[in-house]
Amino acid sequence: MILDGKALSEKVLERVRIKVQKLNRQPHLVVILVGDDTSSKIYVKNKRVAAEKVGIKSTIVELPDSITEQDLLKRIDDLNNDKDVTGILVQLPLPKHIDKNKVTMAISPKKDVDGFTPENVGKLAIGLEPYFYPATPQGIIMLLDEYNIPIEGADAVVIGRSNIVGKPMAQMLLKRNATVTMCHSYSKDLECKIKTADIVISAVGKKVVRCKMDKKNSVIVDVGIYRDSNGRLTGDVDFDLVSKSAGYISPVPGGVGPMTIASLMYNASKVY
Ligand code: GUN
């Protein structure tokens, strides 16, 4: 069975659109884009198009590569104090001379639609409700729930320990009472951990999931997205091989990508 992220994302966006219509104020998302990273530009455009679709006001602030950290922090401070702005997102990566942690920490937790600030990350870690959950893991949970995939008690393997996907994904699965194994580049016997799992979530950017799964109802979620040597968009999972033995598998493209955007719009519709 294919985990159709594209189809679910449309449903989620429609729900968000209806919710936004009923709000007594229009949410306003500000996306800051520093420099001219090609992928970042595409992601930011996708966010703008989605915001438009659901009736969320969006402003893209394009800043030059040469901006100083201090000036960027000042822009964020101004947005924190701007009552018209309900969400702030700084597109990553940032240029090398800017400390991304300092920038992230400058965002007001109540406007942190990425869920990356220490207050939101910390609340998730100690079992409190953050203002926002990070978009990609939240979108993956929505996808698992849509297909009634049991999370409680499941053996879940998360591959990749990024702050954007792997770590919050593990926390969210733990919150739902899964048994979580976190794997990364130093993990031993990765294949052995993957094949015995109930749920595998891979967010690496390399073909790391390429084995036969032991359990027929196993679930494979592919967060990786990159171009192979032939220029084709591909993910972390050897789809042809793994799909033969897994119960559920998310495709690339059309799986996690559209869910991330829909989940971000869900966040951007929240006004604190
Ligand atoms: N760059 C890649 N993924 C993300 C994300 O989820 N949020 C932000 N702000 N930047 C990113």
Side-chain angles (χ1 to χ4, degrees):
M1 172 98 80
I2 298 289
L3 297 171
D4 189 341
K6 183 81 186 89
L8 178 58
S9 73
E10 298 290 341
K11 284 211 273 190
V12 171
L13 288 172
E14 181 56 15
R15 267 181 243 145
V16 172
R17 191 183 68 77
I18 291 165
K19 182 192 155 197
V20 168
Q21 230 172 19
K22 290 181 181 156
L23 291 175
N24 51 20
R25 61 176 294 196
Q26 189 187 28
H28 180 190
L29 171 67
V30 175
V31 177
I32 299 180
L33 174 63
V34 183
D36 48 16
D37 181 81
T38 316
S39 303
S40 289
K41 277 186 168 168
I42 297 169
Y43 294 147
V44 167
K45 178 173 165 269
N46 291 342
K47 289 167 186 175
R48 182 174 56 73
V49 169
E52 210 164 282
K53 203 165 166 178
V54 300
I56 292 173
K57 179 178 171 187
S58 70
T59 304
I60 316 290
V61 179
E62 290 193 51
L63 300 170
D65 237 345
S66 57
I67 189 168
T68 65
E69 185 178 277
Q70 195 184 358
D71 285 348
L72 181 56
L73 292 172
K74 172 77 172 72
R75 297 293 285 249
I76 292 169
D77 193 45
D78 291 345
L79 294 168
N80 285 340
N81 294 318
D82 185 340
K83 290 207 165 39
D84 180 61
V85 173
T86 56
I88 304 168
L89 183 154
V90 179
Q91 188 64 34
L92 302 174
L94 288 169
K96 285 195 179 58
H97 67 278
I98 296 174
D99 180 345
K100 74 168 190 297
N101 290 324
K102 239 187 203 173
V103 170
T104 300
M105 286 198 275
I107 298 170
S108 161
K110 291 185 176 179
K111 298 188 181 188
D112 168 31
V113 291
D114 265 328
F116 291 170
T117 60
E119 181 167 336
N120 285 320
V121 174
K123 279 183 162 167
L124 174 58
I126 62 171
L128 292 176
E129 194 68 22
Y131 293 111
F132 302 95
Y133 289 92
T136 301
Q138 177 173 255
I140 291 169
I141 297 277
M142 288 174 181
L143 195 57
L144 298 177
D145 285 345
E146 175 73 6
Y147 286 84
N148 295 312
I149 289 161
I151 299 176
E152 194 167 291
D155 287 327
V157 168
V158 177
I159 315 170
R161 52 177 156 176
S162 69
N163 293 330
I164 295 179
V165 184
K167 284 185 207 159
M169 186 77 252
Q171 292 288 2
M172 291 178 77
L173 290 166
L174 266 180
K175 194 176 160 103
R176 291 283 295 269
N177 301 320
T179 301
V180 181
T181 303
M182 285 216 71
C183 298
H184 44 76
S185 50
Y186 288 76
S187 298
K188 289 183 292 183
D189 301 327
L190 183 61
E191 181 168 324
C192 174
K193 293 177 174 75
I194 292 170
K195 67 191 299 191
T196 55
D198 296 303
I199 301 173
V200 176
I201 297 182
S202 186
V204 175
K206 276 188 213 149
K207 273 282 172 286
V208 290
V209 181
R210 47 196 334 165
C211 60
K212 188 172 171 293
M213 297 298 293
D214 285 351
K215 295 180 185 162
K216 70 176 190 328
N217 283 328
S218 57
V219 180
I220 313 288
V221 178
D222 193 344
V223 189
I225 186 156
Y226 56 97
R227 289 194 186 276
D228 66 14
S229 50
N230 301 317
R232 255 185 40 164
L233 269 188
T234 188
D236 292 356
V237 179
D238 183 334
F239 188 92
D240 294 337
L241 176 70
V242 179
S243 60
K244 288 194 180 78
S245 54
Y248 300 82
I249 187 163
S250 76
V252 175
V256 172
M259 284 310 300
T260 294
I261 296 268
S263 163
L264 178 69
M265 290 305 122
Y266 169 77
N267 282 352
S269 73
K270 286 189 178 185
V271 175
Y272 288 105

